Amino acid sequence: MRKVIALVLAVSAMLAASIAAAAPGEPAVALAVNPPVGWFTGGSVAGTVAVGLARHHAIRINAASYAHRLGGADLIVGEASYSGRITDFSIGWQFFPRSLWDGFSIEAELLHRGRDTQVIEDFAASRPDLATDTSTLAARAHVAWTWRFENVFFAAGVGLSYGYETGTETDISSYDASEWMTSSVARTDLAAEGFLRLGMVFDR
């Protein structure tokens, strides 16, 4: 926890320094959110703040909470139903070859992901019902494209995260909670990802 706090403080100091160093008239700060359809369904809520370091570089902080399902209701796929939420917090670097928040970009980030989810295998006796409570620390990389119109932009990207997940998984197949079995989790985690962002750029 101390390391996480130290990291957040260090990045905050870098953000403050970058704002102070930005030349007048240069785009210094960008704020973005995920498309509002995700808010209304309860499926996903995400927010981003990015600070330009120079014409082509920025530091970005992102927070997101999204459902372990599609849409706002529990999702049933085949013989399983999915519920719960996943939360992300990431800090990273963006590079825009054209100019800040315009055109192609690459992003490299440090990600913390928390899972509090359940999978109920209603008709599959061979697989247990699982409640997962884990944390993942991972490296994440995206490639993206930003369409910018004056101070408004839309961005879309895809990427991968790879890290190490720790925590617990509980077999909740029994109706009697006293019979639930909890086991420790310690494993690598590889995930494909994508995002959509709507945002605004604010001049210094």
Side-chain angles (χ1 to χ4, degrees):
M1 178 60 69
R2 291 181 180 177
K3 292 182 179 179
V4 173
I5 293 173
L7 179 61
V8 171
L9 292 176
V11 171
S12 299
M14 292 175 65
L15 292 175
S18 65
I19 293 174
E26 287 187 353
V29 178
L31 302 179
V33 295
N34 66 309
V37 64
W39 316 343
F40 302 143
T41 64
S44 62
V45 179
T48 288
V49 57
V51 177
L53 302 177
R55 181 175 174 81
H56 303 285
H57 304 271
I59 288 179
R60 186 175 77 94
I61 295 178
N62 186 75
S65 174
Y66 49 96
H68 186 45
R69 59 195 189 274
L70 299 176
D74 288 354
L75 174 69
I76 299 177
V77 178
E79 298 175 340
S81 61
Y82 298 80
S83 62
R85 297 194 71 81
I86 299 170
T87 56
D88 286 356
F89 179 78
S90 62
I91 301 173
W93 162 80
Q94 297 176 292
F95 173 66
F96 296 84
R98 180 184 295 175
S99 63
L100 280 177
W101 304 299
D102 187 19
F104 176 77
S105 66
I106 59 174
E107 303 180 6
E109 299 179 331
L110 179 65
L111 166 70
H112 177 271
R113 173 168 291 152
R115 299 179 191 272
D116 184 7
T117 62
Q118 290 187 1
V119 179
I120 307 298
E121 304 280 359
D122 295 314
F123 305 106
S126 62
R127 295 191 298 271
D129 301 336
L130 286 178
T132 301
D133 183 7
T134 61
S135 295
T136 302
L137 186 62
R140 177 161 72 178
H142 288 134
V143 293
W145 190 275
T146 302
W147 293 266
R148 183 169 167 182
F149 310 93
E150 299 297 336
N151 282 5
V152 178
F153 66 86
F154 173 75
V158 294
L160 292 171
S161 67
Y162 181 76
Y164 200 69
E165 181 180 14
T166 59
T168 61
E169 283 186 337
T170 302
D171 182 343
I172 57 174
S173 301
S174 173
Y175 289 106
D176 184 352
S178 66
E179 297 180 1
W180 291 356
M181 300 291 293
T182 298
S183 58
S184 297
V185 169
R187 60 196 175 198
T188 58
D189 180 70
L190 176 65
E193 305 179 356
F195 68 80
L196 298 173
R197 297 182 192 137
L198 300 172
M200 293 189 67
V201 176
F202 298 89
D203 294 338
R204 183 173 182 269

